[in-house]
Amino acid sequence: MTKISYIVGVIALTFGTVANALPQTKYTSSCKLLAPKQGEYDEEKVPTITSESAYKKITAANEAYADAKYAESITILQELIADSGDRAAKGRAIYLLGLNYREQSQYAAAKREFIRAMQTGVLGKQNEVNLRLALANIDAVQENYGAALRWMKEYFDEVINPPASSYAQYASLFYQNQDFRSSICPAYLALQEGSKSTKPLYSMLFAAHIELKDLPGAEVVGREMVEFFPSDKSVYNNLFAVLSQRGKTADMLALAELAYMNGMWDTETNYKQLSALYSNNQIPLLAAERLEEGVNKGIVEADEDIWRNIANSYKYAKVSNKAISAYKKAANYTSSGKYDYEIAYIYFTDEEYSKAIDAFRTAIRKGNLRDGDAGYAYLQMGVAYQRLGQPEQAVNALQQATNYRNVSKNAAAYISYINQIESMKKELALND
């Protein structure tokens, strides 16, 4: 497991956890093993089979069972149970009878025989403990979760060094029974004990914390899941939702970019989300690049709004040529001159005054500009002409601007300024 860092400009977005650490939440921090790791079962003189004929029948029944000849095995066992006086043989026969019924999904019969087998007292402590686990399995298959949980409790009360799978089973039963709080520790302990069912157990832990409305805990588990399962898109989506609910926009961006880098963030919604996150975190260049990439790949459907967003982001990032290109594409979707005005403004800011004038004229010709923009277009055209050394054209444009209330005073003042400059030039020329 590696620590993941993604650095954008001066913003460092870290996304990682401590290597090989199990998720520590308020619910997992107090989890302790439910059974001792070491010890021995007290096998008090477990009887052995003394009858040779009974032993042969048990052997034959076992062989039939192994060959999936269940009817044959059952017949042999029922005869042995009915006729034999060997207590040990009868106990083992009852147990094997239960196995035969279980393999045929005759769960009620299997459960009955397993309980009878335990009651004989001849199987030994360890076998009796394992039978409780088998009984829990049967009830679980029949969705009798309450009964299965009772068997599991008895199992853990007596078992020594149980396998990780039994913890996983216990967790699953609690979860299926909608006892989400109780499912957490067994799931955590199953992972601690090396269960191979890593993904289901982590998913259970994540879901249980969600059900308990413990978003901080769900986030901890979710981060671990991203580290462990980097090729599973669902873990990104789940954690993204939690981070969103917690208002962690910087971490949402880090996660989304990580998913993008791993090839997981590949839908139209994903590209839009990633672009919006970069924009909200004041990184307009990447906001534009990610969204434009989605369009170029055919993932994001291009329309006026998409190209406007791309253009605006490039404009704020001061990438003029790309902003202009995007505004031109947005302009293809409307007869309005509003995008030509944006293009003109960029040219003006970049001191490309001739291009700015042409774009302002196009914007005015097309019309349907936002309130006040037409006036600003004439005003800025006048300034552009003046800076190109064309005072007459400047005054003509500024006179048009005086017809717009929002800029009329500024336009009149600039006309006066130009006239003063030109008068001064003439006086200087006469004096020469």
Short mmCIF file of all heavy atoms in Angstrom, two decimals, residues 335-372:
data_model
loop_
_atom_site.label_atom_id
_atom_site.label_comp_id
_atom_site.label_asym_id
_atom_site.label_seq_id
_atom_site.Cartn_x
_atom_site.Cartn_y
_atom_site.Cartn_z
N SER A 335 -26.66 33.13 -31.96
CA SER A 335 -26.51 34.28 -32.87
C SER A 335 -26.09 35.53 -32.11
O SER A 335 -25.81 36.57 -32.70
CB SER A 335 -27.84 34.55 -33.60
OG SER A 335 -28.88 34.83 -32.65
N SER A 336 -26.04 35.45 -30.79
CA SER A 336 -25.66 36.59 -29.96
C SER A 336 -24.18 36.92 -30.17
O SER A 336 -23.36 36.07 -30.49
CB SER A 336 -25.91 36.27 -28.49
OG SER A 336 -25.31 37.23 -27.65
N GLY A 337 -23.86 38.19 -29.93
CA GLY A 337 -22.47 38.62 -30.02
C GLY A 337 -21.74 38.59 -28.69
O GLY A 337 -20.63 39.12 -28.58
N LYS A 338 -22.32 37.92 -27.67
CA LYS A 338 -21.74 37.98 -26.34
C LYS A 338 -20.35 37.34 -26.27
O LYS A 338 -19.49 37.80 -25.51
CB LYS A 338 -22.66 37.34 -25.31
CG LYS A 338 -23.02 35.88 -25.59
CD LYS A 338 -24.06 35.36 -24.60
CE LYS A 338 -24.48 33.93 -24.93
NZ LYS A 338 -25.51 33.45 -23.98
N TYR A 339 -20.12 36.29 -27.07
CA TYR A 339 -18.80 35.63 -27.01
C TYR A 339 -17.77 36.41 -27.83
O TYR A 339 -16.58 36.40 -27.49
CB TYR A 339 -18.91 34.19 -27.48
CG TYR A 339 -19.82 33.37 -26.60
CD1 TYR A 339 -20.97 32.77 -27.11
CD2 TYR A 339 -19.55 33.22 -25.24
CE1 TYR A 339 -21.81 32.03 -26.30
CE2 TYR A 339 -20.40 32.48 -24.41
CZ TYR A 339 -21.53 31.89 -24.95
OH TYR A 339 -22.37 31.18 -24.15
N ASP A 340 -18.23 37.09 -28.86
CA ASP A 340 -17.33 37.97 -29.60
C ASP A 340 -16.87 39.10 -28.70
O ASP A 340 -15.71 39.55 -28.80
CB ASP A 340 -18.04 38.52 -30.83
CG ASP A 340 -18.47 37.42 -31.78
OD1 ASP A 340 -17.63 36.93 -32.55
OD2 ASP A 340 -19.65 37.02 -31.70
N TYR A 341 -17.78 39.55 -27.82
CA TYR A 341 -17.38 40.58 -26.85
C TYR A 341 -16.29 40.04 -25.92
O TYR A 341 -15.32 40.75 -25.62
CB TYR A 341 -18.61 41.01 -26.03
CG TYR A 341 -18.28 42.01 -24.96
CD1 TYR A 341 -18.26 43.38 -25.25
CD2 TYR A 341 -17.97 41.61 -23.67
CE1 TYR A 341 -17.94 44.31 -24.26
CE2 TYR A 341 -17.65 42.53 -22.68
CZ TYR A 341 -17.64 43.88 -22.99
OH TYR A 341 -17.31 44.81 -22.02
N GLU A 342 -16.44 38.80 -25.45
CA GLU A 342 -15.42 38.21 -24.57
C GLU A 342 -14.08 38.11 -25.31
O GLU A 342 -13.02 38.37 -24.74
CB GLU A 342 -15.86 36.83 -24.10
CG GLU A 342 -17.09 36.81 -23.22
CD GLU A 342 -16.86 37.39 -21.84
OE1 GLU A 342 -15.70 37.65 -21.49
OE2 GLU A 342 -17.86 37.60 -21.12
N ILE A 343 -14.15 37.71 -26.57
CA ILE A 343 -12.92 37.61 -27.38
C ILE A 343 -12.28 38.98 -27.53
O ILE A 343 -11.06 39.14 -27.39
CB ILE A 343 -13.25 37.00 -28.75
CG1 ILE A 343 -13.66 35.53 -28.59
CG2 ILE A 343 -12.06 37.13 -29.71
CD1 ILE A 343 -14.26 34.91 -29.84
N ALA A 344 -13.10 39.98 -27.81
CA ALA A 344 -12.59 41.34 -27.96
C ALA A 344 -11.92 41.82 -26.67
O ALA A 344 -10.86 42.46 -26.71
CB ALA A 344 -13.73 42.28 -28.34
N TYR A 345 -12.54 41.49 -25.54
CA TYR A 345 -11.98 41.92 -24.26
C TYR A 345 -10.60 41.30 -24.03
O TYR A 345 -9.69 41.97 -23.53
CB TYR A 345 -12.94 41.52 -23.14
CG TYR A 345 -12.46 41.93 -21.77
CD1 TYR A 345 -12.68 43.20 -21.29
CD2 TYR A 345 -11.76 41.03 -20.95
CE1 TYR A 345 -12.24 43.59 -20.03
CE2 TYR A 345 -11.31 41.40 -19.70
CZ TYR A 345 -11.54 42.68 -19.24
OH TYR A 345 -11.09 43.07 -18.01
N ILE A 346 -10.44 40.02 -24.40
CA ILE A 346 -9.14 39.35 -24.24
C ILE A 346 -8.11 40.03 -25.14
O ILE A 346 -6.98 40.32 -24.71
CB ILE A 346 -9.25 37.86 -24.58
CG1 ILE A 346 -10.11 37.14 -23.53
CG2 ILE A 346 -7.86 37.21 -24.65
CD1 ILE A 346 -10.43 35.70 -23.88
N TYR A 347 -8.48 40.28 -26.40
CA TYR A 347 -7.55 40.95 -27.31
C TYR A 347 -7.15 42.32 -26.75
O TYR A 347 -5.98 42.72 -26.80
CB TYR A 347 -8.18 41.13 -28.69
CG TYR A 347 -8.14 39.90 -29.57
CD1 TYR A 347 -9.28 39.51 -30.29
CD2 TYR A 347 -6.98 39.15 -29.71
CE1 TYR A 347 -9.25 38.39 -31.11
CE2 TYR A 347 -6.94 38.02 -30.53
CZ TYR A 347 -8.07 37.65 -31.22
OH TYR A 347 -8.04 36.55 -32.04
N PHE A 348 -8.15 43.04 -26.22
CA PHE A 348 -7.88 44.37 -25.67
C PHE A 348 -6.91 44.28 -24.49
O PHE A 348 -5.95 45.06 -24.40
CB PHE A 348 -9.20 45.01 -25.22
CG PHE A 348 -9.04 46.43 -24.72
CD1 PHE A 348 -9.10 47.50 -25.60
CD2 PHE A 348 -8.82 46.68 -23.37
CE1 PHE A 348 -8.94 48.81 -25.14
CE2 PHE A 348 -8.67 47.97 -22.90
CZ PHE A 348 -8.73 49.04 -23.79
N THR A 349 -7.16 43.32 -23.59
CA THR A 349 -6.28 43.14 -22.42
C THR A 349 -4.87 42.77 -22.86
O THR A 349 -3.89 43.19 -22.22
CB THR A 349 -6.85 42.03 -21.52
OG1 THR A 349 -8.18 42.39 -21.11
CG2 THR A 349 -5.99 41.84 -20.27
N ASP A 350 -4.76 42.01 -23.94
CA ASP A 350 -3.44 41.60 -24.44
C ASP A 350 -2.82 42.65 -25.36
O ASP A 350 -1.78 42.39 -25.99
CB ASP A 350 -3.57 40.27 -25.20
CG ASP A 350 -3.84 39.09 -24.27
OD1 ASP A 350 -3.71 39.27 -23.04
OD2 ASP A 350 -4.19 38.00 -24.77
N GLU A 351 -3.49 43.81 -25.46
CA GLU A 351 -2.98 44.95 -26.24
C GLU A 351 -2.91 44.64 -27.74
O GLU A 351 -2.11 45.22 -28.47
CB GLU A 351 -1.62 45.42 -25.73
CG GLU A 351 -1.69 45.89 -24.28
CD GLU A 351 -0.35 46.41 -23.77
OE1 GLU A 351 0.62 46.45 -24.55
OE2 GLU A 351 -0.28 46.80 -22.59
N GLU A 352 -3.76 43.71 -28.19
CA GLU A 352 -3.88 43.45 -29.62
C GLU A 352 -5.09 44.25 -30.10
O GLU A 352 -6.18 43.73 -30.35
CB GLU A 352 -4.05 41.95 -29.89
CG GLU A 352 -2.84 41.12 -29.48
CD GLU A 352 -2.93 39.69 -29.98
OE1 GLU A 352 -3.23 39.49 -31.17
OE2 GLU A 352 -2.72 38.78 -29.16
N TYR A 353 -4.85 45.58 -30.27
CA TYR A 353 -5.96 46.51 -30.42
C TYR A 353 -6.71 46.38 -31.74
O TYR A 353 -7.94 46.51 -31.78
CB TYR A 353 -5.45 47.94 -30.23
CG TYR A 353 -4.88 48.17 -28.84
CD1 TYR A 353 -3.55 48.54 -28.67
CD2 TYR A 353 -5.67 47.97 -27.72
CE1 TYR A 353 -3.04 48.74 -27.39
CE2 TYR A 353 -5.16 48.16 -26.44
CZ TYR A 353 -3.84 48.53 -26.28
OH TYR A 353 -3.31 48.71 -25.03
N SER A 354 -6.00 46.07 -32.82
CA SER A 354 -6.70 45.91 -34.10
C SER A 354 -7.66 44.73 -34.05
O SER A 354 -8.81 44.83 -34.50
CB SER A 354 -5.68 45.71 -35.23
OG SER A 354 -4.90 46.87 -35.40
N LYS A 355 -7.21 43.62 -33.51
CA LYS A 355 -8.08 42.44 -33.38
C LYS A 355 -9.22 42.73 -32.42
O LYS A 355 -10.35 42.25 -32.61
CB LYS A 355 -7.27 41.25 -32.90
CG LYS A 355 -6.27 40.72 -33.93
CD LYS A 355 -5.53 39.51 -33.38
CE LYS A 355 -4.54 38.96 -34.42
NZ LYS A 355 -3.80 37.80 -33.89
N ALA A 356 -8.93 43.51 -31.37
CA ALA A 356 -9.97 43.85 -30.40
C ALA A 356 -11.07 44.66 -31.08
O ALA A 356 -12.27 44.41 -30.87
CB ALA A 356 -9.37 44.62 -29.24
N ILE A 357 -10.67 45.62 -31.91
CA ILE A 357 -11.65 46.48 -32.60
C ILE A 357 -12.54 45.64 -33.50
O ILE A 357 -13.77 45.79 -33.50
CB ILE A 357 -10.92 47.57 -33.40
CG1 ILE A 357 -10.29 48.58 -32.43
CG2 ILE A 357 -11.89 48.29 -34.34
CD1 ILE A 357 -9.32 49.54 -33.08
N ASP A 358 -11.94 44.74 -34.28
CA ASP A 358 -12.72 43.89 -35.18
C ASP A 358 -13.72 43.04 -34.39
O ASP A 358 -14.89 42.88 -34.79
CB ASP A 358 -11.79 42.98 -35.97
CG ASP A 358 -10.97 43.73 -37.01
OD1 ASP A 358 -11.38 44.86 -37.36
OD2 ASP A 358 -9.94 43.20 -37.45
N ALA A 359 -13.27 42.48 -33.27
CA ALA A 359 -14.14 41.62 -32.46
C ALA A 359 -15.26 42.44 -31.81
O ALA A 359 -16.41 41.97 -31.73
CB ALA A 359 -13.33 40.90 -31.41
N PHE A 360 -14.94 43.67 -31.36
CA PHE A 360 -15.99 44.52 -30.77
C PHE A 360 -17.04 44.86 -31.82
O PHE A 360 -18.24 44.85 -31.53
CB PHE A 360 -15.38 45.80 -30.20
CG PHE A 360 -14.78 45.65 -28.82
CD1 PHE A 360 -13.50 46.10 -28.56
CD2 PHE A 360 -15.50 45.06 -27.80
CE1 PHE A 360 -12.94 45.97 -27.29
CE2 PHE A 360 -14.95 44.92 -26.52
CZ PHE A 360 -13.66 45.37 -26.28
N ARG A 361 -16.59 45.13 -33.04
CA ARG A 361 -17.54 45.46 -34.11
C ARG A 361 -18.45 44.25 -34.39
O ARG A 361 -19.65 44.42 -34.60
CB ARG A 361 -16.79 45.86 -35.38
CG ARG A 361 -16.15 47.24 -35.29
CD ARG A 361 -15.74 47.74 -36.67
NE ARG A 361 -15.11 49.05 -36.57
CZ ARG A 361 -15.79 50.19 -36.42
NH1 ARG A 361 -17.12 50.16 -36.36
NH2 ARG A 361 -15.16 51.34 -36.35
N THR A 362 -17.85 43.06 -34.42
CA THR A 362 -18.65 41.86 -34.66
C THR A 362 -19.68 41.66 -33.54
O THR A 362 -20.85 41.33 -33.80
CB THR A 362 -17.74 40.62 -34.74
OG1 THR A 362 -16.81 40.78 -35.81
CG2 THR A 362 -18.56 39.36 -34.97
N ALA A 363 -19.25 41.90 -32.31
CA ALA A 363 -20.16 41.75 -31.18
C ALA A 363 -21.33 42.72 -31.27
O ALA A 363 -22.49 42.35 -31.05
CB ALA A 363 -19.39 41.97 -29.88
N ILE A 364 -21.02 43.98 -31.65
CA ILE A 364 -22.07 44.99 -31.76
C ILE A 364 -23.01 44.65 -32.92
O ILE A 364 -24.24 44.79 -32.81
CB ILE A 364 -21.43 46.38 -31.96
CG1 ILE A 364 -20.70 46.79 -30.68
CG2 ILE A 364 -22.49 47.40 -32.33
CD1 ILE A 364 -19.80 47.99 -30.86
N ARG A 365 -22.43 44.19 -34.04
CA ARG A 365 -23.25 43.85 -35.20
C ARG A 365 -24.22 42.71 -34.89
O ARG A 365 -25.40 42.75 -35.27
CB ARG A 365 -22.34 43.48 -36.37
CG ARG A 365 -23.11 43.01 -37.61
CD ARG A 365 -22.16 42.73 -38.76
NE ARG A 365 -21.13 41.76 -38.39
CZ ARG A 365 -21.32 40.45 -38.32
NH1 ARG A 365 -22.53 39.92 -38.58
NH2 ARG A 365 -20.33 39.64 -37.99
N LYS A 366 -23.73 41.69 -34.21
CA LYS A 366 -24.59 40.56 -33.88
C LYS A 366 -25.65 40.94 -32.86
O LYS A 366 -26.80 40.45 -32.90
CB LYS A 366 -23.76 39.40 -33.33
CG LYS A 366 -22.93 38.68 -34.37
CD LYS A 366 -22.22 37.47 -33.73
CE LYS A 366 -21.45 36.66 -34.73
NZ LYS A 366 -20.77 35.50 -34.08
N GLY A 367 -25.28 41.79 -31.91
CA GLY A 367 -26.24 42.26 -30.92
C GLY A 367 -26.56 41.23 -29.85
O GLY A 367 -25.83 40.27 -29.64
N ASN A 368 -27.70 41.47 -29.17
CA ASN A 368 -28.15 40.61 -28.07
C ASN A 368 -27.08 40.48 -26.99
O ASN A 368 -26.89 39.41 -26.40
CB ASN A 368 -28.53 39.21 -28.60
CG ASN A 368 -29.72 39.26 -29.52
OD1 ASN A 368 -30.69 39.97 -29.27
ND2 ASN A 368 -29.64 38.50 -30.62
N LEU A 369 -26.40 41.58 -26.72
CA LEU A 369 -25.37 41.58 -25.69
C LEU A 369 -26.01 41.75 -24.32
O LEU A 369 -27.15 42.18 -24.19
CB LEU A 369 -24.36 42.69 -25.94
CG LEU A 369 -23.62 42.64 -27.27
CD1 LEU A 369 -22.68 43.84 -27.40
CD2 LEU A 369 -22.83 41.35 -27.40
N ARG A 370 -25.23 41.42 -23.30
CA ARG A 370 -25.71 41.65 -21.93
C ARG A 370 -25.84 43.15 -21.69
O ARG A 370 -25.19 43.96 -22.35
CB ARG A 370 -24.74 41.03 -20.92
CG ARG A 370 -24.74 39.52 -20.92
CD ARG A 370 -23.81 39.01 -19.83
NE ARG A 370 -22.43 39.34 -20.14
CZ ARG A 370 -21.59 38.52 -20.76
NH1 ARG A 370 -22.00 37.33 -21.17
NH2 ARG A 370 -20.34 38.89 -21.00
N ASP A 371 -26.68 43.52 -20.71
CA ASP A 371 -26.90 44.94 -20.40
C ASP A 371 -25.57 45.65 -20.16
O ASP A 371 -24.75 45.20 -19.34
CB ASP A 371 -27.77 45.07 -19.14
CG ASP A 371 -29.21 44.66 -19.40
OD1 ASP A 371 -29.57 44.55 -20.58
OD2 ASP A 371 -29.94 44.42 -18.42
N GLY A 372 -25.38 46.72 -20.88
CA GLY A 372 -24.18 47.54 -20.67
C GLY A 372 -23.01 47.17 -21.54
O GLY A 372 -22.09 47.98 -21.73
#
